[in-house]
Amino acid sequence: MSESLAIVVLTHNEADNLPRCLESVSGFSEIIVVDSDSDDGTQDIAKRTGARVYEHLFESFAQQRNWALQNCDLKTEWVLFLDADEVATPEFRRAIVDSIRNADNSIAGFYCCWKMMLDRRWLRRSDSFPKWQLRIVRRGRADFIDSGHGQKEGRVDGELGYVREPYLHYALSKGWEAWWAKHNQYSDEEAADRLSRFPSFGELFSKDPSRRNRALKPILSRIPGWPLLRFLHMYILKGGFLEGREGFAYCASMGWYEHLIRAKMRELQANQ
């Protein structure tokens, strides 16, 4: 079944992370790297491993993934999207192959979840595992739309299943300074997205956790003291305090991220 699945990895200056990611998916027949103007040797690393490399200027995660679906001369029926700081475990590999093998024609794609890793610690409680994203699509049956700084499912022709075995996500592999800089940028996109959306009753009570969580964000962002409440929810109610100093650092940083989003929402409202 590995012949039916292509792996697409999005990169920008990922020379440190990319070898680990590509090694974790070795053996699949088609591995593609879509790079956005790296200048640290990322493309050379990808080519040395035998991956096909394409270059496309990054607009958003959704647009980059849609571009890959439309322009990378894919031969397989199924496509798995990973980022360079993500790793497919042997268990995850087996789970996706089994899911594809057993998928009937009604299935257009699969949600996947991750283990948030800080150093060697899995932040299961701090990161509210599991969180779901559409990462496996049947070509021609699903695509992506922007959602804040990330993406979610757009057009879907059929049903979406779940791969419940997680992959690993090393979001802090480049250190805290890089994480803070990236999330300062993300907060601009989140603030604009949350101000622009008015969730419906159906979205708020959807059985789909991806739709439900997206609908809640604009509402929660407007609650007085939300950044502190976000920290307390993650650290106390969800049990982040059980994950040591790594749990505290991550929960506090997510509270800071929500503070940035709220501040930028106020700025946008004032300018409007």
Side-chain angles (χ1 to χ4, degrees):
M1 287 298 293
S2 63
E3 294 80 10
S4 300
L5 179 70
I7 316 295
V8 175
V9 182
L10 307 184
T11 60
H12 171 67
N13 286 342
E14 292 288 358
D16 292 336
N17 284 321
L18 188 59
R20 177 176 58 185
C21 175
L22 294 181
E23 182 180 0
S24 77
V25 293
S26 64
F28 287 96
S29 60
E30 194 168 12
I31 299 177
I32 294 160
V33 170
V34 179
D35 185 65
S36 51
D37 202 25
S38 292
D39 57 12
D40 68 343
T42 291
Q43 293 191 22
D44 292 334
I45 291 170
K47 290 173 182 176
R48 285 199 298 270
T49 67
R52 283 197 282 129
V53 177
Y54 293 81
E55 187 165 352
H56 184 252
L57 185 65
F58 186 86
E59 300 174 55
S60 69
F61 284 104
Q63 295 306 313
Q64 200 77 336
R65 291 189 165 108
N66 289 338
W67 186 90
L69 289 171
Q70 297 163 9
N71 295 278
C72 288
D73 192 26
L74 296 163
K75 302 293 195 301
T76 62
E77 181 180 10
W78 297 90
V79 182
L80 165 66
F81 286 96
L82 290 175
D83 295 334
D85 60 359
E86 297 169 347
V87 173
T89 65
E91 296 80 8
F92 177 68
R93 289 174 57 125
R94 287 194 293 270
I96 59 178
V97 169
D98 288 344
S99 296
I100 290 170
R101 178 183 293 120
N102 296 321
D104 61 34
N105 192 54
S106 68
I107 300 298
F110 290 93
Y111 290 112
C112 298
C113 63
W114 63 88
K115 288 183 176 181
M116 177 66 71
M117 305 299 294
L118 177 49
D119 298 327
R120 296 183 179 181
R121 184 183 283 274
W122 174 21
L123 299 180
R124 176 172 187 153
R125 298 174 178 87
S126 300
D127 196 46
S128 299
F129 176 86
K131 292 179 176 177
W132 301 101
Q133 281 189 355
L134 178 64
R135 286 301 190 92
I136 302 176
V137 299
R138 207 170 207 155
R139 277 198 307 122
R141 299 278 298 276
D143 61 16
F144 300 90
I145 59 172
D146 295 321
S147 177
H149 80 270
Q151 79 290 314
K152 67 182 295 291
E153 61 278 9
R155 178 189 62 84
V156 176
D157 177 16
E159 302 295 324
L160 297 177
Y162 289 83
V163 175
R164 300 192 180 275
E165 183 65 40
Y167 57 89
L168 306 183
H169 185 198
Y170 292 91
L172 287 125
S173 59
K174 295 182 180 179
W176 279 108
E177 185 175 353
W179 188 93
W180 287 328
K182 184 165 61 175
H183 280 72
N184 183 36
Q185 175 187 340
Y186 289 167
S187 64
D188 293 332
E189 298 159 354
E190 280 291 327
D193 181 69
R194 295 184 192 187
L195 276 178
S196 68
R197 287 191 290 109
F198 299 93
S200 67
F201 184 86
E203 290 173 322
L204 286 171
F205 294 95
S206 171
K207 294 180 180 180
D208 179 348
S210 176
R211 293 185 64 201
R212 189 170 62 247
N213 291 340
R214 184 171 186 262
L216 281 170
K217 284 182 178 182
I219 297 172
L220 295 174
S221 299
R222 292 169 169 83
I223 296 175
W226 169 242
L228 176 60
L229 292 173
R230 174 73 189 276
F231 166 74
L232 294 174
H233 179 261
M234 296 171 67
Y235 192 64
I236 304 298
L237 294 180
K238 302 297 285 188
F241 68 91
L242 297 171
E243 294 170 339
R245 63 183 182 183
E246 294 91 349
F248 175 79
Y250 185 73
C251 294
S253 295
M254 291 304 296
W256 169 84
Y257 177 51
E258 292 293 337
H259 167 73
L260 279 181
I261 294 170
R262 277 176 60 92
K264 292 178 180 182
M265 288 173 69
R266 289 194 294 269
E267 288 178 2
L268 288 172
Q269 286 176 317
N271 291 335
Q272 289 171 0

